[in-house]
Amino acid sequence: MSVFTIKNLEKSFGDHEVLKDINMTIDEGEVVVIIGPSGSGKSTFLRCLNLLETPTKGEIYYKETLINSKTDARRLRQDVGMVFQRFNLFPMFTVLKNVMYAPMEIKNISKKKAEEIARDLLVKVGLEDFADDYPATLSGGQQQRVAIARALAMQPSMLLFDEPTSALDPELVNDVLVVMKNLAKAGMTMAVVTHEMGFARDVADRVIFMDKGYIIEEGKPADIFSHPKNERTQIFLQRVL
Ligand code: ADP
Ligand code: MG
């Protein structure tokens, strides 16, 4: 079943057309990696999927239901979690409480149950020993892994990642990618904007190349990376590989 079906999506800011005639689907369990130059509309596209942006035209179906201004966006975002470049953890909460907070506040899960879920997730992201620490004492990579655990605590059916490793020192990138890779292996549906081409090659089921608001090319990673058909894809890949 498709998690998202996107038809003729367009998004403008004023008279600046940022997304132009985007058509695609994201299937259950699929890992879609979106690549492309800065300013090509990748973030705006992800943000349309959980209604952080309102599309100007076109249709987005989430599990076969049209989402629009009448959709309960908060509810949608519980189901379609997002991990940002900047992790925005709550600085005054411990790591454990950061992960427990939303399930308790938004889903009314009991404290005991929330703690159980949170501790399990901290094991998953390799941070079980940091439960009582505060975010500021952690490295950027550790903070991003807490942010992933926090997103997972809502038991989303899908996760959106917007350049989750771009703000990290190079030596911290891999630990975050490993966590994401494990999620992918466990069957999580994911849409990932990243410049980590190694990750795209290894983990993506499908790679989408965007430029100037258009999907220029999409396909299996082996095809996109080894035999890009479009000249703009070729030029972009020459620069980043
Ligand atoms: P990418 O993530 O690929 O770098 P973005 O989706 O962030 O691209 O941005 C695409 C274009 O849309 C850019 O030109 C950017 O300046 C513009 N843009 C993004 N968000 C806004 C906004 N809230 N208001 C006006 N312009 C925006
Ligand atoms: Mg972006």
Side-chain angles (χ1 to χ4, degrees):
M1 190 183 71
S2 91
V3 179
F4 276 106
T5 303
I6 296 122
K7 293 185 179 165
N8 311 109
L9 172 66
E10 296 183 17
K11 173 68 183 173
S12 300
F13 294 105
D15 54 12
H16 183 189
E17 290 177 22
V18 171
L19 296 177
K20 302 164 193 166
D21 199 26
I22 301 288
N23 290 283
M24 69 170 289
T25 58
I26 300 172
D27 290 333
E28 201 171 326
E30 197 179 23
V31 179
V32 176
V33 171
I34 302 160
I35 61 173
S38 172
S40 55
K42 306 180 300 295
S43 295
T44 304
F45 173 64
L46 282 193
R47 292 166 62 84
C48 284
L49 296 183
N50 68 355
L51 291 179
L52 287 173
E53 301 289 357
T54 314
T56 310
K57 270 191 198 161
E59 288 130 47
I60 300 177
Y61 296 87
Y62 174 67
K63 297 188 173 168
E64 284 152 23
T65 302
L66 184 66
I67 60 170
N68 54 28
S69 56
K70 295 190 197 97
T71 305
D72 181 347
R74 215 171 85 134
R75 179 99 187 274
L76 176 70
R77 286 179 210 135
Q78 289 177 31
D79 221 32
V80 180
M82 189 156 185
V83 176
F84 300 89
Q85 185 173 341
R86 301 247 159 240
F87 356 100
N88 304 320
L89 298 174
F90 302 117
M92 65 293 195
F93 291 168
T94 62
V95 163
L96 183 69
K97 191 155 180 209
N98 263 279
V99 182
M100 288 169 61
Y101 185 76
M104 285 172 60
E105 287 302 309
I106 298 173
K107 286 178 113 178
N108 291 318
I109 286 175
S110 73
K111 189 172 175 200
K112 185 165 171 280
K113 183 71 188 163
E115 178 167 348
E116 206 178 291
I117 293 170
R119 287 195 186 277
D120 277 352
L121 287 170
L122 288 177
V123 171
K124 241 186 207 167
V125 300
L127 292 175
E128 64 273 27
D129 295 339
F130 296 82
D132 299 326
D133 293 341
Y134 285 85
T137 67
L138 269 53
S139 75
Q142 290 168 331
Q143 290 185 53
Q144 189 60 299
R145 285 185 278 148
V146 176
I148 294 171
R150 185 176 60 173
L152 289 170
M154 294 299 281
Q155 299 175 306
S157 64
M158 160 161 199
L159 282 180
L160 311 172
F161 292 86
D162 193 358
E163 299 201 31
T165 60
S166 294
L168 303 178
D169 291 333
E171 74 273 18
L172 304 176
V173 167
N174 199 47
D175 289 343
V176 173
L177 294 179
V178 166
V179 166
M180 292 169 62
K181 202 171 184 167
N182 288 338
L183 279 178
K185 266 195 216 151
M188 178 62 84
T189 310
M190 295 161 57
V192 183
V193 172
T194 186
H195 297 293
E196 293 293 331
M197 297 300 148
F199 176 85
R201 206 187 264 275
D202 291 350
V203 183
D205 295 303
R206 192 148 49 98
V207 175
I208 291 187
F209 173 65
M210 284 184 70
D211 194 16
K212 301 192 171 80
Y214 290 100
I215 292 180
I216 302 290
E217 189 166 350
E218 64 176 291
K220 292 203 168 66
D223 293 331
I224 295 279
F225 288 116
S226 306
H227 316 284
K229 291 195 193 93
N230 188 283
E231 195 186 345
R232 280 199 258 169
T233 320
Q234 290 163 6
I235 293 169
F236 175 77
L237 289 175
Q238 268 163 20
R239 263 188 311 202
V240 297
L241 288 178

